[in-house]
Amino acid sequence: SPSAIIAPSILSADFGALGKACSDTIGQGADWLHVDIMDGHFVPNMTFGAPVVTKIRSHVDRPKEALAKGTFDCHMMISEPKKWVKDFQKAGCDLYCFHYEAAVNSTAAESPETQSDKKTSPKELIKYIHDQGMRAGVAIKPKTDVSVLCDLLDNSNKDEVPDMALVMTVEPGFGGQKFMPEMMPKVEALRKRYPELNIEVDGGLSEKTIDTAADAGANVIVAGSAVFGAQDPADVISKLRDAVEK
Ligand code: DX5
Ligand code: ZN
């Protein structure tokens, strides 16, 4: 497997002091920052948009190499993933991870932009993200079959192939939910087929559940409440890393 990447989710950080939370977390040993973008439509909760990402980006050095320390991993829990690609690139997103379900099933109406958004297939959206100079990730919700990711990953046109697969281990929308071990067969299937793929798991990861995820083959570990709720976040980050690397 590729090396361990620990990506604390700033959803559980203090939103009143988010810039400092970002720089502190990187200082405590985090590789990436996982930035949860929710629109109150794709998921029943809202967070923030590109203007906030612009402001917090300046608190963390932007990586010169792709996917290196300081990467902003933006998890786009939004109904119109194509519409926000350019804004997030300008704001400092490095890895734009959209939901497969949103790309194939855009329910938003009316405006010309949304019309064009509707017609964007996941592979076209991946290419569009790459064209803007970002890496692309594709996320699946618990009820979505892993085969949709394999179909994208097996494409021989590299521009259309995702750089990361995100297997959700809770229903997206909220931090602090219970890890779903029944998602592990998806991770196992991906790891077996794609030994070098960055496979991210998100939801309910902690010192209690990390071994299950690591044994299945996940290497990119998101953790919100486990890191930001800890007395010693650096210790949690290092324990998560050790579990993946053991
Ligand atoms: C949930 C978000 C997660 C969330 C994880 O929809 O995608 O990134 O912050 O939080 P924990 O680690 O607390 O489950
Ligand atoms: Zn997330």
Side-chain angles (χ1 to χ4, degrees), residues 87-196:
D87 285 25
F88 273 76
Q89 192 282 328
K90 285 195 203 105
C93 167
D94 305 292
L95 169 60
Y96 189 99
C97 186
F98 65 88
H99 266 271
Y100 177 86
E101 302 86 0
V104 295
N105 193 25
S106 184
T107 52
E110 286 105 56
S111 73
E113 297 103 281
T114 33
Q115 285 300 328
S116 65
D117 190 74
K118 251 183 202 168
K119 288 185 209 129
T120 306
S121 68
K123 68 178 186 181
E124 285 167 338
L125 183 50
I126 292 163
K127 182 173 186 311
Y128 184 65
I129 293 163
H130 286 156
D131 287 347
Q132 310 304 317
M134 294 184 289
R135 303 291 149 148
V138 182
I140 54 170
K141 297 207 281 184
K143 291 190 185 80
T144 303
D145 202 275
V146 71
S147 64
V148 304
L149 295 177
C150 298
D151 290 346
L152 292 169
L153 290 159
D154 289 341
N155 187 341
S156 59
N157 185 349
K158 291 277 175 287
D159 291 350
E160 298 174 344
V161 176
D163 305 286
M164 184 181 78
L166 166 49
V167 174
M168 290 304 298
T169 46
V170 297
E171 285 296 338
F174 302 92
Q177 300 184 80
K178 196 173 167 291
F179 177 76
M180 298 168 75
E182 61 271 33
M183 296 300 122
M184 291 305 99
K186 296 185 190 180
V187 175
E188 285 161 10
L190 288 171
R191 179 54 72 216
K192 200 169 167 202
R193 211 160 148 145
Y194 312 103
E196 297 306 318

Side-chain angles (χ1 to χ4, degrees), residues 9 11 34 36 38 75 77 168 172-176 202-204 222-225:
S9 164
L11 183 64
H34 182 85
D36 287 305
M38 305 186 188
H75 177 195
M77 288 166 274
M168 290 304 298
F174 302 92
D202 181 10
V222 177
S225 49

